[in-house]
Amino acid sequence: MKSLLSLGKYFAMHRWRVLSGFLFILLANLFKTYNPTVVRNAVNSVTEKLCNVGTAVNGKEYLLGQLAIVLFVFLGTYVLVALLEGAFTFLMRQTIIVVSRLIEYDIKNDMYDHYQRLDLAFYRKNNTGDLMNRITEDVSRVRMFVGPSLMYTGNLVCMFVLCTAAMIHVNWKLALFTLIPMPFLSLLIYMLNNKINRSSEELQAKLSDITTNAQESYSGIRVIQAYVQEKAMLGFFGKESDEYKDLSMKLAKVESIYFPLITLLVGCSISIIVYVGGIYVGDGKITLGNIAEFIMYLNMLTFPVSALGWAVSLTQRAAVSMDRIDRFMSVQPTVLNDGGRLEDLKGTIEFRHVDFIYPDTGIHALKDVSFAIPQGQRWAIVGRTGSGKSTLADLTVRMYDATKGEVLIDGINIREWNTGHLRHQMGLVPQDVFLFSESIKDNINFGTENSSMERAARYAEYASIHEEIKQFPQGYDTVVGERGVTLSGGQKQRISIARALAKDPSILILDDCLSAVDASTEKRIEANLDRVLAGKTCMIITHRIFSLMHFDRILVLDEGRIAEAGTHRELLAQRGIYAELYEKQAATESTSTTS
Ligand SMILES: Nc1ncnc2c1ncn2[C@@H]1O[C@H](COP(=O)(O)OP(=O)(O)OP(=O)(O)O)[C@@H](O)[C@H]1O
Ligand SMILES: [Mg+2]
């Protein structure tokens, strides 16, 4: 329960609303519990008057007229009190439930800000589903505590105090009899609720299994059809659906006991009131009106008392969720943005004895890497798959910090720069292309102020994709589908290049950005890029060798180390890994052109 204390600061932010909410709870309950008194008095007056009418010889008409007036006054009072109660109940919901929504909004914003600050290592460790759950499911459970749970508990306390006081005032013994079933009611509802919660959680989990399964079948439909696995998938889906159905039935059964149980317990209480109360009326200890009044009190107490069990289980769940949220909020990013340097980049990159070990897997991806790219030069990073090229790129834009050694930009340790400022002036085309489900124009202009079509078209031309975009019926307004399904891999890569170029960065890093285009398109793009990139500091990562592009220097990575370094000619002359890669590539190209 301690975790719920961290909600304190949010309550403090909305203290006036919370306080007025509790005031409205009190007022609403005061009026609500006043009505049984009105009814009692009405019943008593009517019985009294009717007795008089029975015995009166004359003046019957007059007495009946008086009775009508009395009834009219009571009715008026009842309606007025009920209206006031309704008005305050409305205000109570308007404050407390609104506060819960506001607090939900605040927590979500805080979490979202925190998500934005966390680094890549965090996102690699946690899966997207969990992250989404934290900000939706967990927050909404906390909201249920702040809103309904608090409101009903407040309501119950007020109602209970006022009703019991009124009942004891009339007759404490009858009050005791009336209240005996209440704790049982609360306990039973609490137990039932826990059972329902557990069942609905199982149900939810099953549903999310089915959804994931269905989603995977749709996005992997090509593989499923190619391997003729439709039947197997259908069978699997059918089995999951059956389990889901069984769980739903189980839940429905438990839920169906809920209301009958409440009615049963309330029925017992009413019987007690009528029986014991009847005896007391006979003894002259209480009036008939008191019995009516007690039944009303009982009915009033039923809902809040049963809501208590519900509120307790909501509170428990909220505590668990809040604990998860707190733990998440206390995760500190490993890449701290505490350097304040805000200068324009000239564009030199230097690695000094850099080692990098992935924190989650312990893989030693870079070992004693040292090099320096002077401003305006274009270097290639070549190497077999898994040799650490993408890791090198990630360290250059500070997605991670080096485990040992230092990375320097313009001769200054990367940690001393403001990370956002640095990234603004760097363009990265990551290996796994990601486009947003927006128009091509917006994707290219992403992260820049200017969002004009002309601008997008200019950079698309540099990335040799303009002609293809023009062919689309909607041109630059074509919306890239979910994960860019309407585009081919090569097209996505080139849009991603255009996006990086559009930032007009001082340093540009292209990570394997032409892997999905064919050899002839690649040659065309290479020649084009060669012109566009002139004068920018570039790091071009590839495991193919671009023969048409001029490189000032080529680094060959092998198992995280720099194995060779030099110009194209020098490396060929060394007859090492580079020469081997080059010859292999030349051999496959000549077979593909001759075949
Ligand atoms: N996020 C990560 N967490 C843990 N280990 C990783 C992660 N990314 C890469 N690695 C490991 O680090 C090593 C270097 O990977 P890296 O992605 O830098 O290779 P690469 O040269 O870019 O390969 P490719 O040419 O296939 O893209 C590999 O052994 C890889 O398994
Ligand atoms: Mg890579």
Side-chain angles (χ1 to χ4, degrees):
M1 290 291 152
K2 242 197 268 160
S3 59
L4 290 174
L5 289 179
S6 43
L7 281 171
K9 73 167 190 231
Y10 295 107
F11 278 119
M13 271 157 71
H14 304 285
R15 57 187 170 278
W16 294 117
R17 267 182 207 264
V18 177
L19 284 178
S20 48
F22 280 108
L23 183 70
F24 292 139
I25 292 183
L26 184 68
L27 287 172
N29 281 299
L30 267 178
F31 285 110
K32 192 169 186 175
T33 47
Y34 184 67
N35 258 343
T37 319
V38 177
V39 171
R40 179 228 298 161
N41 291 335
V43 172
N44 285 348
S45 310
V46 171
T47 34
E48 192 187 322
K49 291 258 157 40
L50 281 180
C51 287
N52 288 348
V53 171
T55 52
V57 186
N58 42 32
K60 232 180 193 176
E61 297 284 294
Y62 169 73
L63 281 174
L64 279 177
Q66 264 208 331
L67 185 63
I69 294 172
V70 169
L71 278 180
F72 190 74
V73 170
F74 279 128
L75 184 72
T77 322
Y78 191 93
V79 170
L80 186 71
V81 171
L83 278 176
L84 283 169
E85 178 215 328
F88 284 115
T89 309
F90 169 77
L91 288 173
M92 162 185 99
R93 297 191 69 91
Q94 273 299 306
T95 42
I96 303 249
I97 301 293
V98 166
V99 163
S100 76
R101 290 289 179 184
L102 290 174
I103 290 185
E104 177 187 31
Y105 173 79
D106 294 338
I107 300 180
K108 277 194 176 171
N109 277 344
D110 286 354
M111 288 178 80
Y112 190 75
D113 283 349
H114 194 61
Y115 272 127
Q116 300 277 325
R117 286 202 307 126
L118 289 168
D119 53 55
L120 204 57
F122 172 82
Y123 287 98
R124 287 269 153 85
K125 239 188 310 200
N126 296 279
N127 70 43
T128 320
D130 276 351
L131 300 180
M132 291 303 293
N133 269 346
R134 205 91 328 139
I135 205 165
T136 53
E137 197 75 359
D138 282 332
V139 177
S140 96
R141 284 185 184 182
V142 171
R143 174 181 61 79
M144 288 298 276
F145 164 73
V146 174
S149 180
L150 269 195
M151 187 173 74
Y152 288 128
T153 314
N155 226 350
L156 170 75
V157 173
C158 278
M159 178 75 77
F160 197 79
V161 170
L162 293 171
C163 283
T164 345
M167 285 196 285
I168 289 175
H169 182 69
V170 174
N171 186 307
W172 70 269
K173 274 192 194 156
L174 190 58
L176 204 65
F177 278 120
T178 315
L179 292 177
I180 283 173
M182 290 294 155
F184 295 104
L185 182 63
S186 226
L187 193 69
L188 271 172
I189 298 289
Y190 169 72
M191 289 187 331
L192 259 182
N193 240 316
N194 275 352
K195 220 175 153 67
I196 289 176
N197 283 344
R198 240 173 296 136
S199 294
S200 46
E201 255 153 45
E202 277 175 47
L203 199 68
Q204 209 58 45
K206 186 52 61 188
L207 184 66
S208 94
D209 276 358
I210 294 181
T211 321
T212 317
N213 180 250
Q215 207 172 7
E216 220 162 70
S217 319
Y218 299 139
S219 39
I221 192 75
R222 280 160 75 188
V223 181
I224 292 174
Q225 287 182 343
Y227 283 77
V228 206
Q229 287 302 307
E230 294 95 331
K231 259 213 179 108
M233 289 308 282
L234 196 65
F236 182 64
F237 190 78
K239 195 174 131 267
E240 298 265 307
S241 298
D242 275 346
E243 283 171 15
Y244 180 75
K245 186 193 73 193
D246 292 343
L247 284 172
S248 305
M249 300 301 261
K250 199 171 115 193
L251 181 63
K253 265 188 208 144
V254 183
E255 278 177 335
S256 64
I257 316 176
Y258 204 92
F259 288 106
L261 196 74
I262 297 180
T263 320
L264 180 73
L265 280 165
V266 173
C268 289
S269 279
I270 293 184
S271 314
I272 296 175
I273 295 176
V274 172
Y275 181 74
V276 180
I279 295 174
Y280 286 177
V281 172
D283 294 349
K285 285 184 189 154
I286 56 170
T287 61
L288 216 53
N290 290 134
I291 292 192
E293 183 186 20
F294 265 64
I295 292 180
M296 282 184 80
Y297 286 133
L298 179 74
N299 279 328
M300 276 180 191
L301 281 177
T302 311
F303 177 67
V305 167
S306 51
L308 181 70
W310 181 65
V312 170
S313 79
L314 276 189
T315 311
Q316 284 176 336
R317 285 151 65 89
V320 175
S321 287
M322 196 64 214
D323 185 46
R324 267 204 292 257
I325 294 175
D326 280 345
R327 259 184 288 146
F328 158 73
M329 293 295 276
S330 63
V331 175
Q332 285 304 322
T334 47
V335 176
L336 293 171
N337 184 12
D338 49 8
R341 189 172 278 270
L342 295 165
E343 280 169 29
D344 285 345
L345 276 198
K346 291 198 273 298
T348 70
I349 306 169
E350 187 178 352
F351 274 53
R352 278 193 201 150
H353 305 291
V354 170
D355 266 50
F356 184 70
I357 301 172
Y358 275 103
D360 45 337
T361 55
I363 290 177
H364 203 155
L366 291 179
K367 295 165 195 155
D368 196 25
V369 172
S370 297
F371 63 87
I373 309 181
Q375 183 185 354
Q377 285 207 359
R378 186 185 312 157
W379 285 31
I381 316 282
V382 190
R384 297 195 184 94
T385 167
S387 54
K389 305 182 297 290
S390 298
T391 311
L392 198 77
D394 281 345
L395 258 62
T396 315
V397 293
R398 210 180 168 206
M399 287 294 166
Y400 299 100
D401 277 330
T403 316
K404 237 168 55 192
E406 40 179 3
V407 177
L408 302 107
I409 303 291
D410 284 358
I412 292 149
N413 193 318
I414 199 163
R415 292 174 201 238
E416 286 173 32
W417 288 90
N418 175 297
T419 312
H421 179 76
L422 202 63
R423 288 183 188 156
H424 257 304
Q425 302 178 68
M426 291 182 160
L428 169 69
V429 180
Q431 190 168 18
D432 44 351
V433 176
F434 179 85
L435 297 181
F436 293 95
S437 304
E438 288 170 7
S439 67
I440 294 180
K441 182 188 84 184
D442 290 344
N443 263 297
I444 296 180
N445 286 326
F446 181 74
T448 51
E449 318 259 281
N450 185 334
S451 61
S452 71
M453 180 84 78
E454 293 69 38
R455 190 167 187 283
R458 186 165 79 240
Y459 289 102
E461 205 148 354
Y462 293 159
S464 319
I465 180 79
H466 177 64
E467 294 302 322
E468 280 158 75
I469 296 174
K470 266 200 325 197
Q471 305 294 315
F472 295 136
Q474 274 139 345
Y476 279 85
D477 289 322
T478 308
V479 173
V480 178
E482 194 193 329
R483 287 179 294 145
V485 279
T486 49
L487 299 174
S488 76
Q491 286 168 337
K492 282 193 275 183
Q493 279 187 335
R494 275 170 291 149
I495 291 178
S496 180
I497 296 176
R499 174 171 66 190
L501 290 175
K503 276 172 85 181
D504 192 23
S506 312
I507 293 178
L508 195 72
I509 302 163
L510 307 180
D511 189 353
D512 212 8
C513 64
L514 296 179
S515 60
V517 296
D518 59 72
S520 70
T521 319
E522 182 185 303
K523 293 241 152 66
R524 188 160 51 83
I525 301 168
E526 259 179 58
N528 204 355
L529 275 183
D530 197 45
R531 259 184 305 118
V532 180
L533 300 182
K536 288 192 190 302
T537 311
C538 289
M539 201 156 135
I540 298 184
I541 296 171
T542 169
H543 47 236
R544 291 173 59 81
I545 289 161
F546 295 153
S547 43
L548 285 186
M549 239 195 241
H550 160 79
F551 290 110
D552 294 294
R553 203 170 167 80
I554 296 165
L555 294 182
V556 181
L557 277 186
D558 188 38
E559 293 184 2
R561 285 182 198 284
I562 297 184
E564 297 163 19
T567 60
H568 181 63
R569 270 164 199 277
E570 286 167 3
L571 289 175
L572 282 185
Q574 277 188 27
R575 306 223 49 76
I577 300 174
Y578 185 82
E580 191 190 324
L581 274 174
Y582 183 71
E583 275 153 23
K584 260 197 212 151
Q585 190 178 317
T588 43
E589 271 170 23
S590 66
T591 42
S592 63
T593 43
T594 49
S595 62

